[in-house]
Amino acid sequence: GDSVTQMEGPVTLSEEAFLTINCTYTATGYPSLFWYVQYPGEGLQLLLKATKADDKGSNKGFEATYRKETTSFHLEKGSVQVSDSAVYFCALSIDYGGSQGNLIFGKGTKLSVKP
Amino acid sequence: KAGVTQTPRYLIKTRGQQVTLSCSPISGHRSVSWYQQTPGQGLQFLFEYFSETQRNKGNFPGRFSGRQFSNSRSEMNVSTLELGDSALYLCASSPKPRTGSGYTFGSGTRLTVV
């Protein structure tokens, strides 16, 4: 079936460090890929997305490239800030000929950034 | 523009009871989806409603049900609560169903079953 696997945390970094959170997927159809972020006590917010192979999603300094050959969508940021501390979820949804199915999430990676 | 509103924010129930959670979508959004978030299983899709009809359903037992009203507000119900139902229940709304990233999530209802 369809699934998402992301690196387990927690990940602890110092401010201005480089961030990579690995995400790989298995999909039976044509997936769109997403990264969501969850701050403490809040719901999920869409961080970035990519809908086809080789697309790069970017937002707030975060980037991820849809790699079909390696079935991956790794999240990166060149210089993290304390305010980036949150839980990050990789997700996919399958394209059913113009409409997308429900979101399938990875387990989440907790990021803590220390000053 | 008001976001997705979920009530209550916190609930404590006893095993065997039933519970009803409420979700008010963003104005103009007609699709509402529900997800369960637990430390062990992560985020799992429960169901999606559009125009008062269930359009999609996840792999959960029949104890989990939902409905949507004509004003697009949705409720989910869990009957005969089990300890394992303790979770954060998230609601998400979108203008139409099956839009992948076009969902806006609420802050959730945290249910604790004792």
Side-chain angles (χ1 to χ4, degrees), chain B residues 38-65:
Chain B
T38 60
Q41 299 299 315
L43 280 152
Q44 294 185 286
F45 172 74
L46 282 155
F47 27 65
E48 181 171 31
Y49 286 85
F50 178 74
S51 294
E52 302 176 62
T53 303
Q54 188 180 92
R55 297 303 179 103
N56 197 7
K57 187 178 187 304
N59 188 26
F60 277 81
R63 300 185 298 107
F64 291 82
S65 63

Side-chain angles (χ1 to χ4, degrees), chain A residues 34 36 38 41-46 49 87 89 93-94 96 98-107, chain B residues 9 35 37 39-45 56 88 90 97-108:
Chain A
F34 312 92
Y36 281 83
Q38 185 175 36
E42 297 185 14
L44 299 172
Q45 299 177 25
L46 177 65
K49 68 176 182 179
V87 181
F89 293 91
S93 67
I94 301 297
Y96 295 104
S99 69
Q100 291 179 314
N102 56 277
L103 292 162
I104 297 169
F105 290 91
K107 292 290 183 70
Chain B
R9 287 297 307 272
Y35 289 81
Q37 184 177 18
Q41 299 299 315
L43 280 152
Q44 294 185 286
F45 172 74
N56 197 7
L88 180 66
L90 290 167
R98 301 171 75 91
T99 58
S101 68
Y103 294 107
T104 302
F105 283 82
S107 297

Side-chain angles (χ1 to χ4, degrees), chain A residues 5 18 20 46 58 76 79 89:
Chain A
T5 303
F18 184 85
T20 298
L46 177 65
S58 62
E76 296 182 334
S79 177
F89 293 91

